[in-house]
Amino acid sequence: MRHAFLLLLFLFSGHLVVCSQDERPWEALFADLSTFDDMEGSDWEDTYEMLCELEEHPLDINAATREELLQMPFLNDRQVEDIQEYLYRYGAMKSTAELAMIPSIDYTTRQLLTHFVVCGERSAPAGLDWQKAFRYGRHDVIATANIPFYERRGDKEGYLGYRYKHSLRYRFQYGDKLKVGLLGAQDAGEPFFGSHNKAGYDYYSVYAEAHRMGCLTTLVVGRYKASFGMGLVMGSGFGMGKLTALTSLGGKGRGLAAHTSRQTGGYLQGAGATVRLSKGVEGTAFVSYRKIDATLVDGDSSIATIVTDGYHRTATEMAKKGNAAETTAGTRLQYRRGGFVIGATGIFTHYGKPLRPRLTERYRTYYPAGSDFWNVGVDYAYTGALLTLHGETATGEGGAIATINNVGVTPSSRLSLLVSQRFYGKKYHALRANSLSEGGRVQNESGIYAGVLWWPLRHLKLTAYTDYAYFPFATYLAQVSSQAWDNVLQAQYEWGNLTLTARYRLKWREQDNEEGTALIGKVTHRARIGAAYAVGGWRMAANADWTGVDADRQSQGWLFSGNVGYSHAWLKVNAAMGYFHTDDYDSRIYGYEQGVLHSFGFRAYEGEGIRWSLCARADIGNRWMLMAHLATTDYFDRDHISNGYQRIDRSSKTDLELQVRCRF
């Protein structure tokens, strides 16, 4: 009976728990990029948050700067240069349909851009007029709550707060010139007010960002992020997985930007500014002071680990909150002439208590230790008609070197090639680095990457890359030098309202065997086939995912998933269901689940069970929006879920997310 049910589910299935793609079609691309990269980019949440903000407050493409356009992970330098050249030659765009006149921007990219840009109707004056800003700016208030229909062990004993998760978000925006915001957020189990948290919410982010005030290009105050060059010195909010690198042809330095997400690590707190010094020359300076969470040792006089998960639910977690301090200051000088850019970045970081990583494991031998750290780097970029170059070389205390260099070739609008070389010394320490890597750190790795985007037919797109990495010293997975090899091939066919996708990934990496006596090769296969069809207000999709793992033992996992959505006037409804069956955690399958606005949901499916959801959104006039997302996971292979304080003494869990937005 179960097998008959699963067959029926597969025949009528679709993309796992993604709310109506008519409502937010860009999320299909985002989910593909991030889930298939296995969350390798450490800032996917920041990237998602940035896209949500852009959707709510689109850029005026006729006034947007190069840096603002490059925030979008699906645009590369060549496409941005072509957009700006088109505007220079032909004047302001009257409609996004004019993007079809730019050969380097393909159909899919044009469709995505329509959700994040407008053509002039929301433009503000060339400079920032404060009087008009406060008179004509727009206010958004979003309140969100998550209600669990179950109790965790910690809810009964151990957690300091109640089991509900909620947040409040306020944002004021005037075009693309000024935005000011406040975000307060509370995780389940964290105290709200009371003796343990007198400030109310456990997490606050206050920020302000302004652009184009005379020679002051960008000003950020409060919590913010910074990324320059290729991210070897400064890459907070960089978010660069391997598929993303191929889409953007390698270069994604975004400069200064407000920190608007709930992510508790990687941000700066203070102020930063970018100033136009002369034609083609810009200077940036930033300073930050913030309290950080840390695990302390040696009588609380030094830091063993910096904690970035942001949880303060128990007395132990609360004792780590803000018990150390971090001071950061940095500067950057950049020169741009035509398609050529060269920049230099320097950063200094001081910790009030020295870092003293535990050296019981060999792979921690070269982890950063001490109180003071510095890095300097030089980066370059060139964007030509056929050739794109990006690179950066950096060093720090001890003289260790890190370098990455990319060459992108675009012989036609239907073909793009990218080759990237990287070398990160085992003694290179850069606390805020974030760039292309296999090991997850800009340290102890060298590698070569090659990728291709090709449209052999008008409606057929092929994507492929291969990446080889060598780790000269011990890693978390291997106590001696080791290697890894990662390969992806994807085909996507679009014809009218029909989209077909097939994708395969083969990943091989050396790691210790179970006894820790020798290296073995772990081989992981991931595959997906899918179809999506839209007609009228209806959209249906179907996906089948498979994972196979061969290491000390063999295992595999399946995910069959489905959704159907309907959109009409002020109401949007979507129902989704998925069945998963994996042999173990190694064969887990990643799935992205959209909930309410600004809800970032990635989960690893392991075991056997069903996941279903119902999502509904109602837009009441131009001011109010109501949204609800109800989801249940029902496991077939266990009588409880999770362990420790997170343990739920039943085989299913149901959550309800509610959200209301007021815009005025």
Side-chain angles (χ1 to χ4, degrees):
M1 182 67 181
R2 178 177 293 181
H3 292 290
F5 166 75
L6 295 179
L7 178 60
L8 183 64
L9 175 65
F10 173 66
L11 291 176
F12 292 96
S13 65
H15 200 64
L16 179 64
V17 202
V18 177
C19 292
S20 174
Q21 297 186 37
D22 280 331
E23 178 185 333
R24 312 183 79 189
W26 59 268
E27 288 201 88
L29 171 67
F30 179 82
D32 280 348
L33 289 174
S34 43
T35 55
F36 212 64
D37 269 334
D38 291 353
M39 303 300 291
E40 289 167 354
S42 62
D43 291 299
W44 283 114
E45 184 172 354
D46 271 340
T47 303
Y48 171 80
E49 185 68 31
M50 179 268 297
L51 291 175
C52 286
E53 295 283 358
L54 278 178
E55 184 186 34
E56 293 290 304
H57 309 275
L59 289 173
D60 178 359
I61 196 171
N62 295 320
T65 65
R66 178 181 181 275
E67 287 71 23
E68 288 171 332
L69 291 172
L70 280 174
Q71 292 179 38
M72 304 179 203
F74 48 83
L75 281 182
N76 58 51
D77 283 357
R78 173 72 272 159
Q79 292 168 328
V80 171
E81 292 286 343
D82 289 347
I83 290 173
Q84 295 189 325
E85 182 180 354
Y86 180 91
L87 295 173
Y88 176 76
R89 287 188 175 185
Y90 305 109
M93 292 186 187
K94 304 300 182 183
S95 165
T96 55
E98 291 187 52
L99 291 167
M101 304 298 292
I102 303 175
S104 63
I105 301 180
D106 59 272
Y107 173 80
T108 302
T109 303
R110 292 199 303 272
Q111 293 300 107
L112 288 168
L113 275 173
T114 59
H115 300 281
F116 303 114
V117 300
V118 293
C119 292
E121 63 266 32
R122 300 183 189 180
S123 295
L128 178 55
D129 186 319
W130 291 95
Q131 184 176 359
K132 289 185 177 180
F134 290 111
R135 183 176 180 182
Y136 298 112
R138 187 170 65 183
H139 304 263
D140 282 9
V141 179
I142 300 177
T144 307
N146 181 284
I147 303 170
F149 293 95
Y150 51 84
E151 278 192 324
R152 305 175 182 89
R153 176 188 165 195
D155 297 328
K156 303 173 184 177
E157 53 176 84
Y159 287 161
L160 301 173
Y162 45 74
R163 57 196 174 112
Y164 305 104
K165 177 180 178 180
H166 55 94
S167 65
L168 183 65
R169 181 186 300 265
Y170 165 77
R171 174 164 172 152
F172 168 83
Q173 180 145 354
Y174 176 60
D176 53 3
K177 306 299 187 298
L178 176 67
K179 61 182 175 184
V180 179
L182 167 66
L183 169 64
Q186 197 82 9
D187 285 310
E190 294 177 338
F192 186 62
F193 285 107
S195 58
H196 293 285
N197 189 5
K198 296 181 180 180
Y201 280 109
D202 179 76
Y203 172 83
Y204 285 101
S205 181
V206 181
Y207 59 87
E209 180 180 335
H211 295 277
R212 294 188 285 283
M213 297 185 293
C215 64
L216 187 62
T217 303
T218 301
L219 174 67
V220 289
V221 179
R223 293 191 173 179
Y224 65 96
K225 302 168 292 186
S227 62
F228 306 107
M230 300 293 291
L232 298 190
V233 173
M234 196 73 194
S236 63
F238 201 69
M240 187 174 171
K242 293 176 184 176
L243 282 177
T244 314
L246 183 56
T247 303
S248 64
L249 291 181
K252 274 298 177 183
R254 297 172 184 164
L256 301 174
H259 178 72
T260 62
S261 79
R262 293 182 51 165
Q263 191 172 1
T264 56
Y267 64 83
L268 299 167
Q269 183 170 270
T274 298
V275 179
R276 186 175 65 255
L277 302 176
S278 63
K279 184 177 180 180
V281 180
E282 286 187 338
T284 299
F286 55 92
V287 64
S288 167
Y289 175 82
R290 55 176 292 220
K291 293 288 189 177
I292 59 172
D293 295 1
T295 302
L296 303 180
V297 292
D298 300 330
D300 291 349
S301 63
S302 59
I303 301 171
T305 57
I306 297 174
V307 181
T308 59
D309 59 21
Y311 289 127
H312 306 115
R313 301 163 297 187
T314 66
T316 300
E317 292 174 347
M318 188 64 73
K320 299 178 182 180
K321 183 178 181 179
N323 57 7
E326 175 192 79
T327 304
T328 301
T331 186
R332 174 175 174 80
L333 188 64
Q334 177 179 290
Y335 173 73
R336 177 186 301 277
R337 183 181 177 87
F340 179 76
V341 180
I342 187 167
T345 306
I347 184 174
F348 174 79
T349 299
H350 170 76
Y351 289 97
K353 298 176 180 179
L355 299 182
R356 294 283 183 266
R358 297 187 180 98
L359 301 180
T360 53
E361 300 291 342
R362 190 165 185 258
Y363 68 87
R364 295 195 183 109
T365 301
Y366 295 107
Y367 273 26
S371 298
D372 299 320
F373 303 89
W374 61 267
N375 295 96
V376 293
V378 176
D379 60 90
Y380 67 89
Y382 170 75
T383 303
L386 300 177
L387 186 67
T388 301
L389 304 176
H390 294 91
E392 184 173 10
T393 299
T395 188
E397 77 282 350
I401 295 292
T403 184
I404 182 170
N405 299 276
N406 295 345
V407 179
V409 181
T410 310
S412 74
S413 61
R414 292 192 173 189
L415 179 64
S416 296
L417 306 169
L418 175 67
V419 177
S420 177
Q421 167 272 332
R422 63 189 183 274
F423 171 81
Y424 309 144
K426 65 182 180 182
K427 296 183 180 181
Y428 179 73
H429 301 146
L431 302 172
R432 297 189 177 277
N434 187 6
S435 194
L436 183 69
S437 71
E438 171 63 29
R441 299 171 63 88
V442 180
Q443 185 183 29
N444 185 38
E445 180 177 332
S446 59
I448 187 74
Y449 169 100
V452 58
L453 288 174
W454 182 33
W455 286 262
L457 302 172
R458 180 182 177 186
H459 301 286
L460 177 63
K461 174 184 175 183
L462 299 179
T463 306
Y465 74 72
T466 184
D467 180 62
Y468 169 79
Y470 173 70
F471 312 100
F473 192 70
T475 66
Y476 173 72
L477 298 172
Q479 295 304 301
V480 296
S481 60
S482 58
Q483 307 171 75
W485 189 29
D486 187 15
N487 304 272
V488 163
L489 175 62
Q490 174 179 285
Q492 187 174 48
Y493 183 81
E494 296 183 357
W495 180 271
N497 295 329
L498 176 66
T499 301
L500 303 175
T501 303
R503 186 165 55 194
Y504 173 67
R505 183 177 192 176
L506 171 63
K507 191 171 186 177
W508 170 83
R509 180 163 181 171
E510 289 182 321
Q511 64 179 42
D512 293 330
N513 60 12
E514 290 186 346
E515 296 77 21
T517 57
L519 290 180
I520 61 171
K522 179 181 179 181
V523 180
T524 302
H525 307 267
R526 294 191 185 276
R528 166 179 287 185
I529 57 173
Y533 182 74
V535 56
W538 293 90
R539 184 174 182 89
M540 296 154 282
N543 282 335
D545 291 82
W546 172 76
T547 297
V549 180
D550 187 359
D552 279 315
R553 57 183 180 274
Q554 294 183 339
S555 61
Q556 65 176 344
W558 291 91
L559 169 63
F560 302 102
S561 53
N563 99 325
V564 56
Y566 179 72
S567 175
H568 178 70
W570 56 273
L571 179 65
K572 300 178 178 68
V573 181
N574 187 83
M577 183 177 287
Y579 167 78
F580 56 93
H581 189 181
T582 74
D583 293 335
D584 54 23
Y585 184 71
D586 267 356
S587 57
R588 65 194 179 277
I589 297 180
Y590 289 91
Y592 172 71
E593 175 177 324
Q594 179 197 325
V596 295
L597 301 181
H598 302 280
S599 177
F600 179 81
F602 274 91
R603 59 187 71 245
Y605 291 92
E606 180 251 333
E608 184 183 10
I610 287 180
R611 173 77 176 183
W612 66 265
S613 75
L614 181 64
C615 190
R617 169 175 171 165
D619 292 291
I620 305 173
N622 296 324
R623 178 167 294 185
W624 293 94
M625 185 274 299
L626 303 176
M627 198 168 184
H629 176 254
L630 180 67
T632 294
T633 304
D634 187 7
Y635 290 92
F636 301 152
D637 60 343
R638 63 197 69 181
D639 58 8
H640 69 275
I641 302 172
S642 195
N643 294 293
Y645 285 137
Q646 288 290 97
R647 175 169 172 147
I648 302 169
D649 290 321
R650 53 191 296 185
S651 62
S652 66
K653 54 181 294 188
T654 300
D655 290 271
L656 174 64
E657 283 185 293
L658 298 174
Q659 186 175 80
V660 57
R661 182 186 69 191
C662 178
R663 175 173 291 170
F664 56 96

